[in-house]
Each structure stands twice: as C-alpha cells, then as structure tokens.
Amino acid sequence: MVVSAGRGSDAAGAPVNGPIAVSSTYRSGGALSYGREGNDTWAALEEVLGALEGGEATVFASGMAAVAAVLETLPAGAVVVLGADAYTGTRILLADLARRGRLFHRLVDTTDVGATLDACEGAAMLWLESPSNPLMAISDLARLSAESKARNPGLAVIADNTFATPLLQRPLDLGVDVVVHSVTKYLAGHSDVILGATVTNDPAWVRALLDRRSMHGGIPGPIEAYLALRGIRTLAVRMERAQANAAELARRLVAHERVEVVRYPGLAQHPGHHLANEQMRGAGAMLSFDVHGGAEAADRCCAAVRLATPATSLGGVETLIERRGRWAGEEALPGGLIRLSVGIEDVEDLWADLAQALGAC
Ligand code: PLP
C-alpha cells in the first residue's frame, strides 16, 4: 500500500505520479472550490495514510496543527488525561490551554492501567502515546481504550502513532478513536518537510477534523504534501533497515561500560517488551539510553559523534542524536538520557561512531 495507494487514474497515458496541485482556487461547479478546503495532492497522501491506518486521513500543516485540531473539538473546561511522558509539545500546548482556562489536563503514567482508568473519571479525552517520547514506555492501547470507554462512555481515545507508524502499530484496530501523526518524522522520512495528519474511521470525527482544518487554516502546502507522498513510498524498506540497526545498536549499548540503561522495547529486559510484541509488529527505530556521568557526559557524547547528526527530531534516513533534557519541559528526565533516532546507515559505521563518542564522554 505504501507504494501503490494514492496514484490517481489508471487510464492509459495517465502519469504514474499525480501532478502537484498548486492552485488556490478552482473553476466553479466542480468538487473543489477553494484551496483551504481541499487539494488533490493532499488527497493522494490522505489515501495512502488512510489505507495504512485503516481509516480516513486528514493532513495538516504540522503534527502540532493536527494535535491542536483534535483538542479544539473539545468544549471549554473539558479534561484531557495525558501520559506524563507524552511529547513535550502536546504537554506544553495543554499547559497553555489550562493557564487560559480553556481545557484542563491530568498527567498520569499510562503504563499503569488502573491509575489511568481512575484519572479518566469525568474526563472527555484520553491521550495515549506508545512508545512514548523519549522514555519508550509501552501502554496497553487495546485495554485502555476498551476499559476507559466502558467506565466513561463519552470518552474519546486518541493515540499519537508517530514513533511506531502504521506499519508497526494500528491503533484504530485496537479501539482508539483518532490517530495523530507528526508526518514530519518516519512517514515523510527525509527531514525535509513539516506535516501532520489525523486518521479516524468515525464519520463524526472526520467531519469535525475537516471543519477544524478549513476554519483554522492549518493546511499543508501542496509541495510539502508531495514531498511526504514521495517519502512514504519507501517507508517499509526504510523502517525495516532502521529497525534492524536500532535492535543491533540497543544490544551493543547494553553491554557498553559507559551506558547505565538502554530503553528499547525490542530488548527482552524492557518492561513493555511482551506488550510491545502483542500490539506492535516490530519495536521500531527509536531508542534512548543513559550514560554514566549525567548531563555533562551526555553532552560530550552528543558533541563527539561524526556520522550521526546532533539534532532534534526523528524518523529521517540519517541518525539523529540529542540529550533530551536540554529542552524546557524535559527537566524531569534523567540528566544523562540520550535519544537516538536510528537511521539507515551501515550499522557497523554507526556503531564505530557511537563507540568513539561514548569513549569521549
Ligand atoms: N508527536 C510526536 C510524538 C512528536 O515527536 C512530534 C514532534 O517532534 C509531534 C507530535 C509534533 O509534530 P510536528 O513537529 O510535525 O508539529
């Protein structure tokens, strides 16, 4: 599907890749009227994403535009239950909304089903992220969806599926109502575009999210949508290689004397290993590890890499490394925590680079 969906017409002579639609308006009388409402390049990308997640996709200007659109559907004063280690941007947005009295949130350890269900009492939305960023915690999407809705029938369950991608995890099949993506990451895959998406199979949600996009104008540019569409064609092979690299690096990092702990759900000793095996089709290509010596040692390690790139973000073909605690809002993380977005380079080259960087910290 990553290769075949969203190709457009199969008539003789039709282009194999649909043209990039760069019009802000359309001649009257057709399906499209104005460029903020719809675009054929978005539609092609939405077809691929929808097919992969098993729902209807809506693309947005960024992952955060998608997150904001979902939250914006809630009435004033509603409560959102959110993993305490969810993506910083989502936590910062919810904190801002709380300061202005728009929405309120409760932070909870979503790996603890009982505590999460208790926190959902009277809430309007449960926001899940598994694996979480950057602690790589695994939460039980099926159980949390079923049991939270059984207790609180009006509750909406959302899953940020950025880390896993639909190739490794399909939250809608597990009972989640809406999937959110930072398409910027694995889906686009080349660190050259910012884009987001929602996917749902509930028609009321589809309508609500389309309305948010049209009214707020958080729309992607057609060139960005095309870049993501081009990138997603190789998602399967990129993910296969990056995941194999991550599994090998995780195994070697565990045995390294400078490393205190490695968080990768593919490792048998990871607390979420069995659950990840059940709900995912692979542990993915993100991992985090703590070096002895705290933040200073971690900074020295990130500064010493030669092949990997010291930078934030993830999901590109190139390996990115960063100490997450350097960001505001991430102070609670272990000081020596380094997040690695493992790319598709040769694994021996990557290990040689990491080993020399660890030697410098
Ligand atoms: N969700 C997760 C898990 C992320 O890592 C990010 C960005 O890092 C976002 C959402 C936000 O996406 P974007 O940067 O495309 O707005």
Side-chain angles (χ1 to χ4, degrees), residues 24-101:
S24 64
T25 190
Y26 302 88
R27 294 178 75 91
S28 301
L32 294 174
S33 55
Y34 185 55
R36 187 159 27 81
E37 314 280 334
N39 173 284
D40 283 345
T41 313
W42 307 348
L45 177 59
E46 286 169 346
E47 192 181 319
V48 183
L49 269 175
L52 290 176
E53 286 285 11
E56 217 170 301
T58 306
V59 290
F60 287 85
S62 66
M64 283 312 296
V67 169
V70 171
L71 294 175
E72 194 47 47
T73 60
L74 292 172
V79 172
V80 179
V81 175
L82 173 78
D85 63 341
Y87 170 58
T88 353
T90 308
R91 280 189 284 120
I92 289 172
L93 173 58
L94 276 164
D96 178 68
L97 291 166
R99 265 193 303 278
R100 292 184 290 118

Coordinates of all heavy atoms in Angstrom, one line a residue, residues 24-101:
S24 N -4.9 27.9 -5.8 CA -5.5 28.4 -4.6 C -7.1 28.4 -4.7 O -7.8 28.5 -3.8 CB -5.1 29.7 -4.2 OG -5.4 30.7 -5.2
T25 N -7.5 28.3 -6.0 CA -9.0 28.3 -6.2 C -9.3 27.4 -7.5 O -8.4 27.0 -8.2 CB -9.5 29.7 -6.4 OG1 -10.9 29.7 -6.4 CG2 -9.0 30.4 -7.6
Y26 N -10.6 27.1 -7.6 CA -11.0 26.1 -8.7 C -12.1 26.7 -9.5 O -13.0 27.4 -8.9 CB -11.4 24.8 -8.0 CG -10.2 24.2 -7.2 CD1 -10.1 24.5 -5.9 CD2 -9.3 23.3 -7.8 CE1 -9.0 24.0 -5.1 CE2 -8.3 22.8 -7.1 CZ -8.1 23.1 -5.8 OH -7.1 22.6 -5.0
R27 N -12.3 26.4 -10.7 CA -13.4 26.8 -11.5 C -14.7 26.3 -10.9 O -14.7 25.2 -10.4 CB -13.2 26.3 -12.9 CG -12.0 26.9 -13.7 CD -11.9 26.3 -15.1 NE -12.9 26.9 -15.9 CZ -12.7 28.0 -16.7 NH1 -11.6 28.6 -16.6 NH2 -13.7 28.5 -17.5
S28 N -15.7 27.2 -10.9 CA -17.0 26.8 -10.2 C -17.6 25.6 -10.8 O -17.4 25.3 -12.0 CB -17.9 28.0 -10.4 OG -17.3 29.1 -9.8
G29 N -18.4 24.9 -10.0 CA -19.2 23.8 -10.4 C -18.6 22.4 -10.2 O -19.3 21.4 -10.4
G30 N -17.4 22.4 -9.7 CA -16.7 21.1 -9.5 C -16.7 20.7 -8.0 O -17.3 21.3 -7.2
A31 N -16.0 19.6 -7.7 CA -15.9 19.1 -6.3 C -15.1 20.0 -5.4 O -15.4 20.1 -4.2 CB -15.3 17.7 -6.3
L32 N -14.1 20.7 -6.0 CA -13.3 21.6 -5.2 C -13.7 23.0 -5.5 O -14.0 23.4 -6.6 CB -11.8 21.3 -5.5 CG -11.3 20.0 -5.1 CD1 -9.8 19.8 -5.5 CD2 -11.3 19.8 -3.5
S33 N -13.6 23.9 -4.5 CA -14.0 25.3 -4.7 C -12.8 26.2 -4.3 O -12.4 27.1 -5.1 CB -15.2 25.7 -3.9 OG -15.1 25.4 -2.6
Y34 N -12.3 26.1 -3.1 CA -11.2 27.0 -2.7 C -10.1 26.1 -2.0 O -10.4 25.1 -1.4 CB -11.9 27.9 -1.6 CG -10.9 29.0 -1.2 CD1 -10.2 29.9 -2.1 CD2 -10.6 29.2 0.2 CE1 -9.4 30.8 -1.6 CE2 -9.8 30.2 0.6 CZ -9.1 31.0 -0.3 OH -8.3 31.9 0.2
G35 N -8.9 26.6 -2.2 CA -7.7 25.8 -1.8 C -7.6 25.5 -0.3 O -6.8 24.7 0.1
R36 N -8.3 26.2 0.6 CA -8.2 25.9 2.0 C -9.1 24.7 2.3 O -9.0 24.1 3.4 CB -8.6 27.1 2.9 CG -8.4 26.9 4.3 CD -8.2 28.2 5.2 NE -8.9 29.4 4.7 CZ -10.2 29.7 4.8 NH1 -11.0 28.8 5.4 NH2 -10.7 30.8 4.3
E37 N -10.0 24.3 1.4 CA -11.0 23.3 1.7 C -10.5 21.9 1.1 O -10.9 20.9 1.7 CB -12.3 23.6 0.9 CG -12.8 25.0 1.1 CD -13.5 25.2 2.4 OE1 -14.0 24.2 3.0 OE2 -13.5 26.4 2.9
G38 N -9.7 21.9 0.1 CA -9.3 20.7 -0.5 C -8.2 20.8 -1.5 O -8.0 21.9 -2.1
N39 N -7.5 19.7 -1.8 CA -6.3 19.8 -2.8 C -6.0 18.4 -3.2 O -6.0 17.5 -2.3 CB -5.1 20.5 -2.0 CG -3.9 20.4 -2.8 OD1 -3.2 19.4 -3.0 ND2 -3.5 21.6 -3.4
D40 N -5.8 18.2 -4.5 CA -5.6 16.8 -5.0 C -4.3 16.1 -4.4 O -4.2 14.9 -4.3 CB -5.6 16.8 -6.5 CG -7.0 16.9 -7.1 OD1 -7.9 16.7 -6.3 OD2 -7.1 17.2 -8.3
T41 N -3.3 16.9 -4.1 CA -2.0 16.4 -3.6 C -2.3 15.9 -2.2 O -1.8 14.9 -1.7 CB -0.9 17.3 -3.7 OG1 -0.9 17.9 -5.1 CG2 0.5 16.6 -3.5
W42 N -3.0 16.7 -1.4 CA -3.4 16.3 0.0 C -4.1 15.0 -0.1 O -3.9 14.0 0.6 CB -4.3 17.2 0.7 CG -3.9 18.6 0.9 CD1 -2.7 19.2 0.6 CD2 -4.8 19.7 1.3 NE1 -2.8 20.5 0.8 CE2 -4.1 20.9 1.3 CE3 -6.1 19.7 1.7 CZ2 -4.6 22.1 1.7 CZ3 -6.7 20.9 2.1 CH2 -5.9 22.1 2.1
A43 N -5.1 14.9 -1.1 CA -6.0 13.8 -1.2 C -5.2 12.5 -1.5 O -5.5 11.4 -1.0 CB -7.0 14.0 -2.3
A44 N -4.2 12.6 -2.3 CA -3.3 11.4 -2.7 C -2.6 10.9 -1.4 O -2.6 9.7 -1.1 CB -2.3 11.8 -3.7
L45 N -2.0 11.9 -0.6 CA -1.4 11.5 0.6 C -2.4 10.9 1.6 O -2.1 9.9 2.3 CB -0.6 12.7 1.2 CG 0.1 12.5 2.5 CD1 1.1 11.4 2.4 CD2 0.7 13.8 3.0
E46 N -3.5 11.5 1.7 CA -4.6 11.0 2.6 C -5.0 9.6 2.3 O -5.3 8.8 3.1 CB -5.8 12.0 2.6 CG -5.4 13.3 3.4 CD -6.4 14.4 3.2 OE1 -7.3 14.3 2.3 OE2 -6.4 15.4 4.0
E47 N -5.0 9.3 1.0 CA -5.5 8.0 0.6 C -4.5 6.9 1.1 O -4.8 5.9 1.6 CB -5.5 8.0 -1.0 CG -6.2 6.7 -1.5 CD -6.3 6.7 -3.0 OE1 -6.5 7.7 -3.6 OE2 -6.1 5.6 -3.6
V48 N -3.2 7.3 1.0 CA -2.1 6.3 1.4 C -2.2 6.2 3.0 O -2.3 5.0 3.5 CB -0.7 6.8 1.1 CG1 0.3 5.8 1.5 CG2 -0.6 7.1 -0.4
L49 N -2.3 7.3 3.7 CA -2.3 7.2 5.1 C -3.5 6.5 5.7 O -3.5 5.8 6.6 CB -2.3 8.7 5.7 CG -0.9 9.3 6.0 CD1 -1.1 10.7 6.4 CD2 -0.3 8.5 7.1
G50 N -4.7 6.9 5.0 CA -5.9 6.2 5.4 C -5.9 4.7 5.2 O -6.3 3.9 6.1
A51 N -5.3 4.3 4.1 CA -5.2 2.9 3.8 C -4.3 2.2 4.8 O -4.6 1.1 5.3 CB -4.7 2.7 2.4
L52 N -3.2 2.9 5.2 CA -2.3 2.2 6.1 C -2.8 2.1 7.5 O -2.6 1.1 8.2 CB -1.0 3.1 6.2 CG -0.1 3.1 4.9 CD1 1.1 4.0 5.1 CD2 0.4 1.6 4.6
E53 N -3.6 3.2 8.0 CA -4.1 3.1 9.4 C -5.5 2.5 9.5 O -5.9 2.2 10.5 CB -4.2 4.6 9.9 CG -2.9 5.2 10.3 CD -2.3 4.6 11.6 OE1 -2.7 3.6 12.1 OE2 -1.3 5.2 12.1
G54 N -6.1 2.3 8.3 CA -7.5 1.7 8.3 C -8.5 2.7 8.7 O -9.4 2.4 9.5
G55 N -8.5 3.9 8.1 CA -9.5 4.9 8.4 C -9.4 6.0 7.4 O -8.8 5.8 6.3
E56 N -10.0 7.2 7.7 CA -9.9 8.3 6.8 C -8.9 9.3 7.3 O -9.1 9.8 8.5 CB -11.3 8.9 6.7 CG -11.6 9.3 5.3 CD -13.1 9.7 5.1 OE1 -14.0 8.8 5.3 OE2 -13.3 10.9 4.7
A57 N -8.0 9.7 6.5 CA -6.9 10.6 6.9 C -7.3 12.1 6.6 O -7.9 12.3 5.5 CB -5.6 10.2 6.3
T58 N -6.8 13.0 7.4 CA -6.9 14.4 7.1 C -5.5 15.0 7.4 O -4.9 14.8 8.5 CB -7.9 15.1 8.1 OG1 -9.1 14.5 8.0 CG2 -8.0 16.6 7.7
V59 N -4.9 15.6 6.4 CA -3.5 16.1 6.6 C -3.5 17.6 7.1 O -4.4 18.3 6.7 CB -2.6 16.0 5.3 CG1 -2.3 14.5 5.1 CG2 -3.2 16.6 4.1
F60 N -2.6 17.9 7.9 CA -2.5 19.3 8.5 C -1.1 19.8 8.2 O -0.2 19.1 7.8 CB -2.7 19.2 10.0 CG -4.2 18.9 10.3 CD1 -4.7 17.6 10.4 CD2 -5.0 20.0 10.6 CE1 -6.0 17.4 10.7 CE2 -6.4 19.8 10.9 CZ -6.9 18.5 11.0
A61 N -1.0 21.1 8.5 CA 0.3 21.8 8.3 C 1.5 21.3 9.1 O 2.6 21.4 8.7 CB 0.1 23.3 8.6
S62 N 1.2 20.6 10.2 CA 2.2 20.1 11.1 C 1.6 19.1 12.0 O 0.4 19.0 12.1 CB 3.0 21.2 11.9 OG 2.0 21.7 12.8
G63 N 2.4 18.3 12.7 CA 1.9 17.4 13.7 C 1.2 18.2 14.8 O 0.1 17.8 15.2
M64 N 1.7 19.3 15.2 CA 1.1 20.1 16.2 C -0.2 20.7 15.7 O -1.2 20.9 16.5 CB 2.0 21.2 16.7 CG 3.1 20.7 17.7 SD 2.5 19.6 19.0 CE 1.4 20.7 19.9
A65 N -0.4 21.0 14.4 CA -1.6 21.5 13.9 C -2.7 20.4 14.0 O -3.9 20.7 14.3 CB -1.5 22.0 12.5
A66 N -2.3 19.1 13.8 CA -3.2 18.0 14.0 C -3.6 17.8 15.4 O -4.7 17.6 15.8 CB -2.5 16.7 13.4
V67 N -2.6 17.9 16.3 CA -2.8 17.8 17.8 C -3.8 18.9 18.2 O -4.8 18.6 18.9 CB -1.5 17.9 18.6 CG1 -1.8 18.1 20.1 CG2 -0.6 16.8 18.3
A68 N -3.6 20.1 17.8 CA -4.4 21.3 18.2 C -5.8 21.1 17.6 O -6.8 21.4 18.3 CB -3.8 22.6 17.7
A69 N -5.9 20.6 16.4 CA -7.3 20.4 15.8 C -8.1 19.4 16.6 O -9.3 19.6 16.9 CB -7.2 19.9 14.4
V70 N -7.4 18.3 17.1 CA -8.2 17.3 17.9 C -8.6 17.9 19.2 O -9.8 17.8 19.6 CB -7.3 16.1 18.1 CG1 -7.9 15.1 19.1 CG2 -7.0 15.3 16.8
L71 N -7.7 18.7 19.9 CA -8.0 19.3 21.2 C -9.1 20.3 21.0 O -10.0 20.5 21.9 CB -6.8 19.9 21.8 CG -5.7 18.9 22.2 CD1 -4.5 19.6 22.8 CD2 -6.2 17.9 23.3
E72 N -9.1 21.0 19.9 CA -10.0 22.1 19.6 C -11.5 21.6 19.5 O -12.4 22.4 19.5 CB -9.5 22.8 18.4 CG -10.1 24.2 18.0 CD -10.1 25.2 19.2 OE1 -9.1 25.3 19.9 OE2 -11.1 25.8 19.4
T73 N -11.7 20.3 19.3 CA -13.0 19.8 19.2 C -13.7 19.8 20.6 O -14.9 19.6 20.7 CB -13.1 18.4 18.6 OG1 -12.3 17.5 19.5 CG2 -12.5 18.3 17.2
L74 N -12.9 19.9 21.6 CA -13.5 19.7 23.0 C -14.2 21.0 23.5 O -13.7 22.1 23.1 CB -12.3 19.4 24.0 CG -11.7 18.0 23.8 CD1 -10.5 17.8 24.7 CD2 -12.8 16.9 24.1
P75 N -15.2 20.9 24.3 CA -15.9 22.1 24.8 C -15.0 22.7 25.9 O -14.1 22.0 26.5 CB -17.1 21.5 25.5 CG -16.9 20.1 25.7 CD -15.9 19.6 24.7
A76 N -15.1 24.0 26.1 CA -14.4 24.7 27.1 C -14.5 24.0 28.5 O -15.6 23.6 28.8 CB -14.8 26.2 27.2
G77 N -13.4 23.9 29.2 CA -13.4 23.3 30.5 C -13.3 21.8 30.5 O -13.2 21.2 31.6
A78 N -13.2 21.2 29.4 CA -13.1 19.7 29.4 C -11.7 19.3 29.9 O -10.8 20.0 29.9 CB -13.3 19.2 27.9
V79 N -11.7 18.0 30.4 CA -10.5 17.5 31.0 C -9.8 16.4 30.0 O -10.5 15.5 29.5 CB -10.8 16.8 32.3 CG1 -9.5 16.1 32.9 CG2 -11.2 17.9 33.3
V80 N -8.5 16.5 29.8 CA -7.8 15.6 29.0 C -6.8 14.8 29.9 O -6.1 15.4 30.7 CB -7.0 16.3 27.9 CG1 -6.2 15.3 27.0 CG2 -7.9 17.2 27.0
V81 N -6.8 13.5 29.8 CA -5.9 12.7 30.5 C -4.7 12.4 29.6 O -5.0 11.9 28.5 CB -6.5 11.4 31.1 CG1 -5.5 10.5 31.7 CG2 -7.7 11.7 32.0
L82 N -3.5 12.6 30.1 CA -2.4 12.6 29.2 C -1.2 11.9 29.9 O -1.0 12.1 31.1 CB -2.0 14.0 28.8 CG -0.7 14.3 28.1 CD1 -1.0 14.0 26.6 CD2 -0.3 15.7 28.2
G83 N -0.5 11.1 29.1 CA 0.7 10.4 29.7 C 1.7 11.5 30.2 O 2.0 12.5 29.5
A84 N 2.2 11.3 31.4 CA 3.2 12.3 32.0 C 4.4 12.4 31.1 O 5.1 13.4 31.2 CB 3.5 11.9 33.4
D85 N 4.7 11.4 30.3 CA 5.9 11.5 29.4 C 5.5 11.6 28.0 O 6.3 11.2 27.1 CB 6.8 10.3 29.7 CG 6.1 9.0 29.3 OD1 4.9 8.9 29.2 OD2 6.8 8.0 29.1
A86 N 4.3 12.2 27.7 CA 3.9 12.4 26.3 C 4.8 13.4 25.7 O 5.5 14.2 26.4 CB 2.5 12.8 26.3
Y87 N 4.8 13.6 24.4 CA 5.6 14.5 23.6 C 5.5 15.9 24.3 O 4.4 16.4 24.5 CB 5.1 14.6 22.2 CG 5.7 15.7 21.4 CD1 7.1 15.8 21.3 CD2 4.9 16.6 20.8 CE1 7.7 16.9 20.6 CE2 5.5 17.7 20.0 CZ 6.9 17.8 20.0 OH 7.4 18.8 19.3
T88 N 6.6 16.6 24.5 CA 6.7 17.9 25.1 C 5.7 18.9 24.5 O 5.1 19.7 25.2 CB 8.0 18.6 25.0 OG1 8.9 17.7 24.4 CG2 8.5 19.2 26.2
G89 N 5.6 18.9 23.2 CA 4.8 19.9 22.5 C 3.4 19.8 22.9 O 2.7 20.8 23.1
T90 N 2.9 18.6 23.0 CA 1.5 18.3 23.4 C 1.3 18.8 24.9 O 0.3 19.4 25.2 CB 1.2 16.8 23.2 OG1 1.5 16.4 21.9 CG2 -0.3 16.5 23.4
R91 N 2.2 18.4 25.7 CA 2.1 18.9 27.1 C 2.2 20.4 27.3 O 1.4 21.0 28.0 CB 3.3 18.2 28.0 CG 3.0 16.8 28.3 CD 4.0 16.2 29.3 NE 5.2 15.9 28.7 CZ 6.4 16.4 29.0 NH1 6.5 17.4 30.0 NH2 7.5 16.1 28.4
I92 N 3.0 21.0 26.5 CA 3.1 22.5 26.5 C 1.8 23.1 26.1 O 1.3 24.1 26.7 CB 4.4 23.0 25.7 CG1 5.7 22.6 26.4 CG2 4.3 24.5 25.5 CD1 6.9 22.8 25.7
L93 N 1.3 22.6 25.0 CA 0.0 23.1 24.5 C -1.1 23.0 25.5 O -1.8 23.9 25.8 CB -0.4 22.4 23.2 CG -1.8 22.8 22.6 CD1 -1.9 24.3 22.3 CD2 -2.0 22.0 21.3
L94 N -1.2 21.8 26.1 CA -2.2 21.6 27.2 C -2.0 22.5 28.4 O -3.0 23.0 29.0 CB -2.3 20.1 27.5 CG -3.1 19.3 26.6 CD1 -2.9 17.8 26.7 CD2 -4.6 19.6 26.8
A95 N -0.8 22.7 28.7 CA -0.5 23.6 29.9 C -0.9 25.0 29.6 O -1.5 25.7 30.4 CB 1.0 23.5 30.2
D96 N -0.7 25.4 28.3 CA -1.1 26.8 27.9 C -2.6 26.9 27.9 O -3.2 27.9 28.4 CB -0.5 27.0 26.5 CG -1.0 28.4 25.9 OD1 -0.5 29.4 26.5 OD2 -1.8 28.4 25.0
L97 N -3.3 25.9 27.4 CA -4.8 25.9 27.4 C -5.3 25.9 28.8 O -6.3 26.6 29.1 CB -5.3 24.7 26.6 CG -5.0 24.7 25.1 CD1 -5.3 23.3 24.5 CD2 -5.9 25.7 24.4
A98 N -4.6 25.2 29.7 CA -5.1 25.2 31.1 C -4.9 26.6 31.8 O -5.8 27.1 32.5 CB -4.3 24.2 31.9
R99 N -3.7 27.2 31.5 CA -3.5 28.6 32.0 C -4.6 29.6 31.6 O -4.9 30.5 32.4 CB -2.1 29.1 31.5 CG -1.0 28.8 32.5 CD 0.3 29.6 32.1 NE 0.7 29.4 30.8 CZ 1.5 28.4 30.4 NH1 1.9 27.5 31.3 NH2 1.9 28.2 29.2
R100 N -5.1 29.4 30.4 CA -6.1 30.3 29.9 C -7.5 29.8 30.2 O -8.5 30.3 29.7 CB -5.9 30.5 28.4 CG -4.6 31.3 28.2 CD -4.4 31.7 26.7 NE -4.0 30.5 25.9 CZ -4.8 30.1 24.9 NH1 -5.9 30.7 24.6 NH2 -4.4 29.0 24.2
G101 N -7.6 28.7 31.0 CA -9.0 28.2 31.4 C -9.7 27.5 30.3 O -10.9 27.3 30.4

